[in-house]
Amino acid sequence: MPAIFDALPGIEVPVGAISKSLAAMWTDNVADGRPTLEADDAKATQVNFVLHLGLNSTPADATRQFETVVKFSQRHPSRIVVLCPLLDDVPEPQMRAKIFGECFLGKSKTDKRCVEFVMLSYSHSARPFLENQVSISLSTDLPLYYWAHKFSASGRLADYRYLLSRAKRVLIDSAIAPPDALTYPWPNPSATRDLVYCRLLPVRQSIGQFFAAYDPARLVEGLKRVTVLHTSGLAAEGRVLLAWLQRRLAACGQVPEQATMATATLEGDRGCLGVNFDYADGKRTFRWTGTLSTGQALFEADFGTGRTRLPAAVSLLAPETSLSEAMFF
């Protein structure tokens, strides 16, 4: 299987010539003699973004995440560094580099947005020199965001203290991260954001807007059981949705101590989520079901003021939009 570094696009350059090569990428002449990037086309870079492809990444997976970051950068022009660790030490060179650049049209033909990538492949023995090379590859005076994707162990990732402590946001996907990823004592835990929570934004907004039509105290009075249902592929989404509901219900008032909150697995593979509220009086009810494969959801509720049945839409945020949500909100 080829290394993830080899699967990514770009032009390989000497590690010591990354900055010079990036500058040449925009100024070298094309076939008709014009510069590849006109002098008045400013690369208005907004952020530094480090995508760390962990040892559990495959070439196909690495390519998908690369494409996600490219889509993200169409809205947020970035200097992006992609870290590609090697499982085993290799003969010289212990660190290799690629550069990649692409421009997109923004809201008008004169709104050109450009993105720059630096890919770094490194062996374990080259690890002590990585922070220095990353810092050289980033733009100065811009905020840093760090996405740790498919890392094999929290303790191993903790070795990257330079990135964890400097980053304004550390992005982790709890659906594929080690179980302790969200509770591990990172250098700056308040900066950690879970991509599962972020891609649930449309679901959280839809349920929250429905609840907003009712008296908050009525939602928790006599509440006996809250169950979040999910198909097997959405276990992380079910867990995170339940935790969100616990926080929102607590904000509505005192939840009865005997109320139970749990997740349950649904049969099938259509990508379904559901929320059930059961009340002690046996009269009030709340049911929400959503099928991601069809984009359709249904609210069924009766909080003592009459039965309501409301069709709705359901979706998860696209991966590139989830990045924006995690980074900026």
Side-chain angles (χ1 to χ4, degrees):
M1 180 181 292
I4 56 178
F5 177 80
D6 297 323
L8 299 178
I11 302 170
E12 187 158 357
V13 299
V15 173
I18 291 174
S19 297
K20 181 179 178 181
S21 300
L22 281 172
M25 180 173 63
W26 300 117
T27 57
D28 283 351
N29 290 342
V30 293
D32 61 0
R34 294 181 293 105
T36 55
L37 187 68
E38 301 294 342
D40 59 352
D41 283 327
K43 301 189 298 298
T45 304
Q46 298 175 354
V47 299
N48 289 310
F49 191 9
V50 175
L51 167 58
H52 190 167
L53 296 169
L55 294 176
N56 289 332
S57 295
T58 63
D61 174 63
T63 301
R64 286 194 299 271
Q65 308 320 316
F66 181 91
E67 292 170 351
T68 294
V69 175
V70 169
K71 292 177 182 178
F72 164 84
S73 66
Q74 293 180 25
R75 296 182 60 184
H76 307 283
S78 311
R79 168 68 64 83
I80 297 163
V81 175
V82 183
L83 302 182
C84 307
L86 295 170
L87 183 60
D88 302 308
D89 273 342
V90 296
E92 298 290 344
Q94 296 174 333
M95 187 177 292
R96 297 165 60 196
K98 281 182 182 178
I99 60 170
F100 175 85
E102 194 167 2
C103 290
F104 313 92
L105 289 178
K107 297 180 179 179
S108 67
K109 292 183 179 180
T110 59
D111 181 14
K112 183 178 288 187
R113 305 175 183 187
C114 299
V115 58
E116 297 176 331
F117 279 82
V118 176
M119 276 70 72
L120 295 173
S121 172
Y122 59 97
S123 63
H124 180 72
S125 56
R127 170 68 188 81
F129 312 105
L130 185 65
E131 281 84 354
N132 181 60
Q133 192 56 59
V134 169
S135 64
I136 293 173
S137 301
L138 297 174
S139 297
T140 58
D141 302 324
L142 288 176
L144 170 63
Y145 297 87
Y146 176 42
W147 179 16
H149 174 73
K150 281 198 172 182
F151 54 98
S152 57
S154 297
R156 185 186 294 270
L157 185 64
D159 292 339
Y160 295 82
R161 181 168 290 271
Y162 165 79
L163 294 168
L164 292 168
S165 58
R166 183 184 166 188
K168 186 172 182 178
R169 293 283 190 273
V170 176
L171 314 185
I172 293 171
D173 189 328
S174 66
I176 55 176
D180 66 339
L182 296 178
T183 57
Y184 192 87
W186 305 113
N188 186 12
S190 63
T192 303
R193 296 293 184 272
D194 185 5
L195 290 172
V196 175
Y197 180 82
C198 296
R199 60 178 171 260
L200 279 169
L201 176 63
V203 174
R204 293 186 282 113
Q205 286 179 328
S206 182
I207 295 175
Q209 288 167 0
F210 185 87
F211 283 157
Y214 297 92
D215 178 13
R218 190 66 172 160
L219 298 178
V220 297
E221 181 185 357
L223 185 61
K224 181 179 178 182
R225 182 182 300 105
V226 175
T227 307
V228 172
L229 304 107
H230 59 82
T231 44
S232 58
L234 294 172
E237 284 75 9
R239 169 181 49 80
V240 172
L241 183 57
L242 180 65
W244 173 76
L245 285 168
Q246 288 178 304
R247 294 193 298 271
R248 294 299 86 211
L249 289 171
C252 290
Q254 183 65 39
V255 178
E257 292 184 1
Q258 68 273 20
T260 61
M261 301 203 178
T263 60
T265 303
L266 293 168
E267 297 295 330
D269 57 357
R270 300 181 65 192
C272 296
L273 287 169
V275 177
N276 293 347
F277 285 13
D278 296 308
Y279 290 87
D281 59 15
K283 298 178 181 179
R284 287 174 296 145
T285 60
F286 171 76
R287 302 284 185 270
W288 173 86
T289 55
T291 304
L292 297 174
S293 60
T294 63
Q296 296 177 334
L298 179 66
F299 288 95
E300 296 177 287
D302 187 345
F303 291 112
T305 56
R307 184 173 178 81
T308 298
R309 191 174 189 273
L310 177 67
V314 63
S315 65
L316 300 180
L317 286 186
E320 63 274 15
T321 312
S322 296
L323 291 179
S324 298
E325 177 70 15
M327 291 167 64
F328 305 128
F329 299 99

